[in-house]
Amino acid sequence: MPTSLEIARYLQGAWQLAQGDERGIARLDLSLEGFWGSFAAALVAAPAYALVLIEQYATLGWPQHLPGTVLAESLAYLAGWIAFPIAAVFLTRLLGLGGRYVPLIVAANWSSVLQITLYALVVLAGLALPRGLRTLLLFGTTVAVLVYQWFVIRSALRTSSGIAFALVVIDVLLSMAVSRTLDGLLQPG
């Protein structure tokens, strides 16, 4: 587990990337130890993710079986953190970018903290907005997050815009698959 000072440095690197500065990658620990440590980003982002879920259930209705829902949401959260890294093992090799796999996952993991935090802030701000404006704000946030993710992938892999775009699409499709699996777990019976 990285120290709080290391986490702060990694988040500064992710913030630098969010500002369009590829040099943010240099603030990340791109070693094998840094690779495994980057999954601590899931713990750092968990409170913001929980806020988004709480707001979602408060809006749509609370589940009848809360412990089962908490378990299913937790499993989906963890699956979301490992689905892309597993797929990326094969994809980076297939694309001849296997040597950039560790930087890709480290950068993706730490940048996810900013993405999830941004969503949480937008969801909270959206509580004070009319429904239509809130929907527009969430849509704009989604576009911004996807552009950021594209930039992170392109920078970490040192690859073309097209390859980075394809990997973003694959990540989105994996997230949708995890979400559908979650829906299946939450269905009664």
Side-chain angles (χ1 to χ4, degrees):
M1 177 79 176
T3 67
S4 58
L5 288 175
E6 289 170 329
I7 290 170
R9 189 179 86 221
Y10 304 152
L11 293 177
Q12 288 171 348
W15 178 247
Q16 220 173 324
L17 287 165
Q19 296 174 328
D21 186 351
E22 291 182 351
R23 294 175 297 176
I25 297 279
R27 290 184 174 266
L28 307 174
D29 181 352
L30 304 179
S31 70
L32 188 56
E33 183 179 335
F35 168 82
W36 292 112
S38 74
F39 288 94
L43 294 173
V44 176
Y49 183 76
L51 276 173
V52 171
L53 285 179
I54 289 168
E55 190 282 331
Q56 177 184 351
Y57 282 114
T59 301
L60 300 176
W62 293 96
Q64 290 181 355
H65 190 256
L66 190 58
T69 300
V70 169
L71 177 61
E73 291 285 6
S74 298
L75 290 174
Y77 184 70
L78 293 175
W81 280 89
I82 62 172
F84 183 71
I86 290 171
V89 167
F90 304 104
L91 293 169
T92 55
R93 288 181 184 164
L94 179 68
L95 296 167
L97 299 167
R100 299 295 305 164
Y101 173 76
V102 169
L104 169 65
I105 300 308
V106 170
N109 283 348
W110 289 114
S111 67
S112 290
V113 175
L114 296 186
Q115 294 171 31
I116 293 167
T117 301
L118 176 62
Y119 269 115
L121 292 172
V122 167
V123 163
L124 291 175
L127 294 174
L129 299 174
R131 186 176 190 93
L133 190 54
R134 178 182 174 186
T135 301
L136 185 61
L137 183 60
L138 286 170
F139 176 76
T141 301
T142 300
V143 170
V145 163
L146 291 173
V147 169
Y148 175 48
Q149 188 176 8
W150 166 84
F151 182 77
V152 167
I153 290 172
R154 187 178 64 79
S155 300
L157 287 178
R158 297 183 187 149
T159 192
S160 71
S161 295
I163 288 174
F165 177 78
L167 290 174
V168 169
V169 170
I170 289 168
D171 190 24
V172 168
L173 293 174
L174 285 170
S175 295
M176 290 169 61
V178 167
S179 178
R180 290 189 68 95
T181 301
L182 166 68
D183 289 344
L185 290 173
L186 292 177
Q187 296 300 320

